[in-house]
């Protein structure tokens, strides 16, 4: 198979760029487009997977993570990539807050909004980035959502699920178990024990992206966090949690995505599609 024939047909695009620029101009005279990647061929039965990063622009490790993920996803010689793209399409946003990044902000966009607190009722005036992302998501759907971050305090890589959303049920719990178990196998840099306190049932903050998207689309939804300095499990005393380690970690998440894709639209206990899983 030649690279041009790889099922990703990966290309750069901009999500609602013209609208985003037009509506941002009052509060931000120089809005910057959101870089976005699309991979796969849309189809009636294709699962739709979203990955976003740098809602908090100071968390640069998130964009390196996405770069590593995209490198593997678009590798024409990677078997997991080739197979998953037969069954899913990907919308990938390496930096959803370019204005905040250019201004050197740690957590906010050009208007001073923390984008990861805007997913319940985003507005064009305050959070146009989230407004247009949700508009696009409503148009194409979402079966799996991954929001990539960095945490200043916890020295581990971990996932925060959406157990506290009103619609969380046994189906989503089984999907979470499949994803977490596979991720542990795929990367020694991931661990499932340390992390945020799990929300009580029905008590999740739906303004946070993983909760808001999980509830809106009744889908598997995660926030992924990486350390600013290093992981306590496997510290590197010279380089710490480096850009290269973030990139390799991003590549590793393709394996749990690959394993969970056949189950994303199934009711509990339904026999999964015939996709033979080969562990990394």
């Amino acid at each position: 198979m030649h690279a041009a024939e790889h099922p990703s047909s990966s290309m750069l695009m901009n999500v609602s760029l013209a609208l985003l620029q037009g509506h941002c101009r009052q509060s931000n005279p120089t809005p910057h487009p959101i870089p976005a990647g699309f991979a796969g061929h849309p189809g009636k039965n294709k699962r739709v997977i979203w990955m976003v990063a740098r809602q908090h622009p100071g968390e640069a490790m998130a964009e390196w993570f996405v770069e590593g993920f995209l490198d593997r996803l678009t590798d024409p010689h990677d078997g997991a990539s080739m197979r998953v793209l037969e069954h899913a399409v990907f919308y990938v946003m390496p930096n959803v807050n370019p204005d905040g990044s250019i201004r050197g902000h740690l957590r906010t966009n050009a208007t001073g909004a923390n984008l990861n607190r805007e997913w319940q009722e985003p507005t064009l005036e305050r959070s146009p980035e989230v407004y247009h992302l949700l508009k696009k998501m409503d148009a194409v759907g979402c079966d799996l959502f991954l929001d990539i971050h960095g945490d200043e305090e916890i020295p581990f890589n971990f996932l925060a699920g959406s157990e506290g959303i009103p619609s969380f049920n046994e189906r989503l719990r089984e999907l979470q178990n499949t994803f977490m178990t596979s991720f542990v196998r795929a990367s020694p840099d991931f661990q499932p024990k340390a992390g945020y306190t799990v929300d009580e049932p029905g008590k999740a903050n739906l303004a946070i992206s993983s909760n808001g998207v999980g509830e809106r689309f009744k889908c598997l939804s995660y926030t992924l966090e990486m350390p600013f300095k290093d992981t306590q499990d496997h510290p590197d005393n010279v380089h710490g949690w480096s850009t290269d380690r973030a990139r390799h970690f991003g590549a590793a998440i393709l394996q749990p995505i690959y394993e969970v894709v056949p189950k994303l639209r199934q009711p509990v206990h339904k026999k999964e599609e015939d996709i033979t899983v080969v562990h990394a």
Side-chain angles (χ1 to χ4, degrees), residues 33-255:
I34 297 174
F38 175 79
H41 295 293
K44 181 178 180 181
N45 296 316
K46 292 290 186 72
R47 280 56 168 169
V48 181
I49 300 171
W50 285 80
M51 180 182 290
V52 303
R54 291 190 80 176
Q55 289 199 77
H56 298 149
E59 298 167 6
M61 68 286 283
E63 193 164 352
W64 288 108
F65 176 99
V66 173
E67 181 172 312
F69 171 73
L70 285 174
D71 283 347
R72 186 177 180 192
L73 183 66
T74 58
D75 182 351
H77 306 292
D78 189 291
S81 166
M82 293 170 63
R83 197 69 191 278
V84 78
L85 285 167
E86 293 174 0
H87 299 273
V89 293
F90 290 78
Y91 292 84
V92 183
M93 316 293 157
N95 185 344
V96 300
N97 195 345
D99 293 331
S101 299
I102 289 171
R103 284 166 169 75
H105 293 182
L106 177 62
R107 293 178 67 82
T108 61
N109 69 354
T111 70
N114 178 348
L115 294 184
N116 203 27
R117 299 298 183 273
E118 296 288 320
W119 288 76
Q120 192 165 19
E121 296 179 350
T123 65
L124 286 169
E125 295 74 23
R126 178 173 169 81
S127 49
E129 302 91 343
V130 176
Y131 179 92
H132 284 291
L133 282 172
L134 277 177
K135 187 175 181 180
K136 183 66 175 180
M137 293 175 78
D138 285 339
V140 303
C142 181
D143 295 297
L144 169 62
F145 179 77
L146 298 167
D147 181 22
I148 315 303
H149 285 263
D151 185 274
E152 297 91 336
E153 297 182 356
I154 300 177
F156 296 97
N157 293 305
F158 62 93
L159 290 169
S162 56
E163 293 90 341
I165 64 175
S167 62
F168 191 81
N169 56 20
E170 189 59 29
R171 181 185 74 89
L172 292 176
R173 190 179 305 280
E174 287 187 5
L175 289 174
Q176 281 196 171
N177 290 339
T178 298
F179 197 96
M180 296 275 269
T181 300
S182 176
F183 207 1
V184 168
R185 292 195 300 262
S187 174
D189 279 327
F190 176 72
Q191 57 78 48
K193 296 181 180 180
Y196 299 144
T197 301
V198 176
D199 291 323
E200 296 180 13
K203 300 295 185 180
N205 181 357
L206 299 184
I208 294 174
S209 64
S210 56
N211 292 330
V213 172
E215 180 63 20
R216 191 183 191 102
F217 295 96
K218 308 299 184 286
C219 68
L220 179 62
S221 184
Y222 275 121
T223 298
L224 182 143
E225 298 280 359
M226 291 174 282
F228 268 67
K229 293 183 178 180
D230 204 353
T231 63
Q232 188 169 302
D233 282 338
H234 302 96
D236 182 331
N237 295 328
V238 176
H239 301 103
W241 187 250
S242 64
T243 56
D244 283 339
R245 288 185 73 188
R247 290 179 69 255
H248 284 291
F249 191 45
I253 204 170
L254 182 64
Q255 187 66 28

